[in-house]
Amino acid sequence: MVTFRGILGRSAKYLASHPVWRQQIKLQNRMSSLRLPVAAVCQVTATPDKQANLSACKQLMEEAKERGASMVFLPEGFDYIGSSREESLSLAESLTGDIISQYTQLARKLEVWLSLGGFHERGHDWESDRRLYNSHIIINDKGDIVSVYRKAHLFDVELPEKGVSLKESAFVIPGPTLVSPVQTPIGKVGQGICYDLRFPELSLAMQRHGAEILTYPSAFTVATGAAHWEVLLRARAIENQCFVLAAAQVGQHHEKRQSYGHALVVDPWGEVLGDCGGEKPGMVLVEIDLEKIRSIRRNMPVQQHRRDASFYQSLEKT
């Protein structure tokens, strides 16, 4: 900011009225208005302690706000990661429960948008079947829930040679539908969660409906993360010509569970703009330049080159 008082003994009023200074003020105002929006992509180590998790996430949100972020992305299981099916069920809440209420209040207080990337939401028949949705919630800076996507692809995987054994469907209900991308201060965001990353049909649907940013908040296992995390995120960015933001869990949650980390930001060309590493909580902040998307899509119009659906289904008719 230009300060006028005391310069060459002239008054601030005089300098502000001088044509050269007026031009500088106009230029500064224009530069300020052209400042790119900033996203904060976070990495946490959730445990079964919901209040400790909330405190850690709150600290990251406050830091992100101080550093200029207009939207903060938290990973799958930001509310907690239980040590057993029974514990996960006992800690679950509804969208109107205490945890989401506290996050809506924080969003309103800090005036930031939130992507809460995997909330343990009590299912629609909770009293009878005791199962959950894994829900990705977007909250605006007024504290309103503007979108809820419930994870469609559930992680039922047995990799004994890698020490991986998880059956998400034992207590999670698959989401019934995709949701439309959400207009946010950083661009139009298409929602996925973790294992959804492996299904390019989902990201393509988001892109067709206007997504500029794809987000995959996750709690990847160490074995699958080391093998596939970065390459899948970069692939989704390249094939859809979108930014990809992927908040992540990291480290030891309890004696039975560990996550890979490496919360990542990838640009529409597939370049990694930020990586939180695989050791401890933190965040990466990135400016989202939507002009980069428009330029890449203009110069390499992949979507215009795509054939109609019948072409890709032609093998099924042979």
Side-chain angles (χ1 to χ4, degrees):
M1 178 180 293
V2 176
T3 56
F4 305 115
R5 189 180 301 278
I7 301 176
L8 299 178
R10 307 179 191 183
S11 70
K13 183 177 180 181
Y14 171 78
L15 288 170
S17 65
H18 193 278
V20 173
W21 285 94
R22 283 205 306 270
Q23 188 65 27
Q24 288 192 15
I25 293 168
K26 287 179 181 177
L27 179 60
Q28 275 198 324
N29 289 340
R30 192 178 305 120
M31 290 173 67
S32 177
S33 67
L34 293 175
R35 192 171 294 138
L36 294 172
V38 174
V41 180
C42 298
Q43 181 160 286
V44 303
T45 307
T47 70
D49 186 336
K50 291 199 287 187
Q51 285 306 309
N53 299 333
L54 175 63
S55 178
C57 290
K58 178 175 180 284
Q59 188 174 345
L60 286 171
M61 290 165 58
E62 290 171 342
E63 180 184 346
K65 173 64 177 181
E66 288 175 7
R67 295 172 66 183
S70 55
M71 189 163 184
V72 181
F73 291 77
L74 293 173
E76 181 182 33
F78 69 94
D79 51 348
Y80 63 88
I81 292 183
S83 59
S84 67
R85 177 182 185 276
E86 292 71 25
E87 184 173 49
S88 293
L89 291 172
S90 70
L91 294 171
E93 297 183 16
S94 70
L95 292 176
T96 57
D98 184 58
I99 287 292
I100 296 303
S101 174
Q102 291 187 69
Y103 276 99
T104 59
Q105 291 172 39
L106 279 169
R108 183 165 57 247
K109 177 184 176 182
L110 296 174
E111 298 181 309
V112 295
W113 283 61
L114 297 179
S115 161
L116 304 179
F119 171 65
H120 295 80
E121 179 193 0
R122 291 183 176 184
H124 56 281
D125 291 324
W126 176 252
E127 297 304 326
S128 60
D129 80 348
R130 303 283 289 180
R131 289 201 297 162
L132 312 170
Y133 288 115
N134 187 342
S135 300
H136 182 171
I137 304 162
I138 292 183
I139 300 172
N140 69 16
D141 56 358
K142 307 277 193 308
D144 304 317
I145 294 175
V146 297
S147 181
V148 180
Y149 163 68
R150 295 174 174 95
K151 187 177 181 183
H153 303 98
L154 303 183
F155 190 74
D156 288 1
V157 176
E158 297 284 344
L159 302 173
E161 71 282 3
K162 301 288 186 181
V164 175
S165 177
L166 286 169
K167 191 173 179 62
E168 193 174 16
S169 66
F171 60 98
V172 177
I173 308 163
T177 184
L178 299 179
V179 297
S180 296
V182 179
Q183 186 64 59
T184 77
I186 65 169
K188 210 164 187 180
V189 174
Q191 295 161 262
I193 303 173
C194 201
Y195 194 50
D196 287 332
L197 175 59
R198 295 180 182 272
F199 300 87
E201 300 91 339
L202 185 150
S203 59
L204 179 58
M206 292 292 106
Q207 199 273 355
R208 282 175 168 164
H209 284 80
E212 298 161 314
I213 298 156
L214 301 171
T215 182
Y216 295 99
S218 298
F220 253 59
T221 69
V222 173
T224 57
H228 302 146
W229 175 244
E230 181 178 319
V231 68
L232 285 170
L233 290 169
R234 294 182 68 196
R236 297 296 87 85
I238 293 164
E239 67 198 7
N240 292 288
Q241 299 173 315
C242 287
F243 282 93
V244 172
L245 309 183
Q249 292 282 350
V250 68
Q252 198 77 38
H253 308 290
H254 45 70
E255 62 180 14
K256 299 178 183 177
R257 184 84 180 267
Q258 186 178 2
S259 290
Y260 177 66
H262 292 278
L264 223 62
V265 177
V266 186
D267 79 1
W269 191 247
E271 180 182 356
V272 175
L273 302 181
D275 181 341
C276 280
E279 295 182 1
K280 59 185 179 180
M283 73 170 70
V284 58
L285 290 103
V286 63
E287 292 183 325
I288 303 296
D289 184 358
L290 298 181
E291 180 53 39
K292 184 180 286 189
I293 296 175
R294 290 188 281 269
S295 175
I296 288 171
R297 291 180 181 180
R298 183 170 57 248
N299 295 336
M300 188 183 292
V302 171
Q303 302 312 317
Q304 293 177 33
H305 298 156
R306 192 176 299 279
R307 302 289 293 269
D308 60 42
S310 63
F311 174 82
Y312 299 105
Q313 294 168 359
S314 59
L315 285 178
E316 299 171 12
K317 299 175 183 176
T318 60

